[in-house]
Amino acid sequence: MQDYQDDTLLRVGPAGKIPGLSEKWTFLFGRRRRATFVEVGAYDGETASATACLADFGWRGWYIEPVPAFAELCRQRHEANAVTVAEYAVSNRSGTSALYVGGALSTLIKQQVEDYARVGWARRFHKGEEIVVETRTLDAALSEEGVPTGFDLLVISVEGAESLVLDGFQLERWRPKVVVVGADDPDGDFATNHRISATAASVRARMISAGYVEPYAGETGTLFVDLSWFQDRCKLLEANT
């Protein structure tokens, strides 16, 4: 399969988690079709998605979404794409857990729902719906789905449960090249929320200590890149200019 010759990869919707994402993806990954991603907390596979454009272009993808209705929407959205939609939540253990359903803000963390209730734009998402969902660790999920080590992109969008996801994930084993984490701490609405800020700080410390750099942090997402891989990528780009 050849590198693409048009601008398909550049067409990232304006509701994406990171501004200028199309340019960032092009810089990091080039114009490639042979690549893989995993998105934890896929919702409908379209709204604020960092990966829908990649799936549309031909990347192999794995979406993980625990709410049955949302998982079905994701399947429908990507019916023509080379993706798998797995229907469970990712946490620090395999088993079951309560999940608080609130559209794109669904979460395993009850306190997160309480925090959303204090924010005008967010409180409308949660109406008191709670379901029990199956959980797996990310290690177990990746192994079960047959995801290769060293895959290209991991997106974690789990509304406050980021630490739970990373607790069940051997980062050194899987070593994704790029990781996007939907951390809320830079957002003005959550900047004074010590729990959310502490979660984001913990995630950041884990990633940095594992050899990742943080080229971007914004209101709804933080981008981490494997430093060693990034240095090699920059050398390649420099050699080709």
Side-chain angles (χ1 to χ4, degrees), residues 74-116:
C74 189
R75 290 188 189 97
Q76 292 174 12
R77 164 62 178 83
H78 293 284
E79 184 177 12
N81 293 333
V83 305
T84 299
V85 179
E87 198 172 306
Y88 46 77
V90 175
S91 187
N92 60 348
R93 62 179 181 83
S94 296
T96 59
S97 176
L99 184 137
Y100 305 94
V101 180
L105 300 186
S106 298
T107 178
L108 295 173
I109 308 298
K110 186 173 184 178
Q111 193 170 349
Q112 189 84 3
V113 179
E114 296 169 357
D115 290 334
Y116 285 147

Side-chain angles (χ1 to χ4, degrees), residues 3-49:
D3 289 351
Y4 68 79
Q5 300 299 319
D6 57 32
D7 65 347
T8 305
L9 186 58
L10 304 182
R11 297 172 189 156
V12 179
K17 289 185 174 300
I18 296 178
L21 190 59
S22 58
E23 292 81 4
K24 291 177 176 65
W25 278 177
T26 301
F27 176 78
L28 289 169
F29 299 121
R31 301 194 166 198
R32 298 169 52 202
R33 292 181 186 269
R34 287 183 177 176
T36 55
F37 71 82
V38 174
E39 183 159 351
V40 181
Y43 185 42
D44 60 5
E46 172 67 20
T47 304
S49 176

Side-chain angles (χ1 to χ4, degrees), residues 101-166:
V101 180
L105 300 186
S106 298
T107 178
L108 295 173
I109 308 298
K110 186 173 184 178
Q111 193 170 349
Q112 189 84 3
V113 179
E114 296 169 357
D115 290 334
Y116 285 147
R118 301 185 183 97
V119 178
W121 65 266
R123 67 168 61 100
R124 64 185 175 85
F125 285 86
H126 284 271
K127 306 296 184 183
E129 183 180 358
E130 178 182 339
I131 63 175
V132 176
V133 297
E134 184 180 353
T135 63
R136 285 177 173 77
T137 65
L138 188 51
D139 281 343
L142 296 178
S143 295
E144 181 177 321
E145 301 298 337
V147 178
T149 57
F151 63 97
D152 295 278
L153 173 64
L154 171 64
V155 178
I156 301 173
S157 181
V158 291
E159 308 305 324
E162 295 83 11
S163 290
L164 294 181
V165 173
L166 291 177

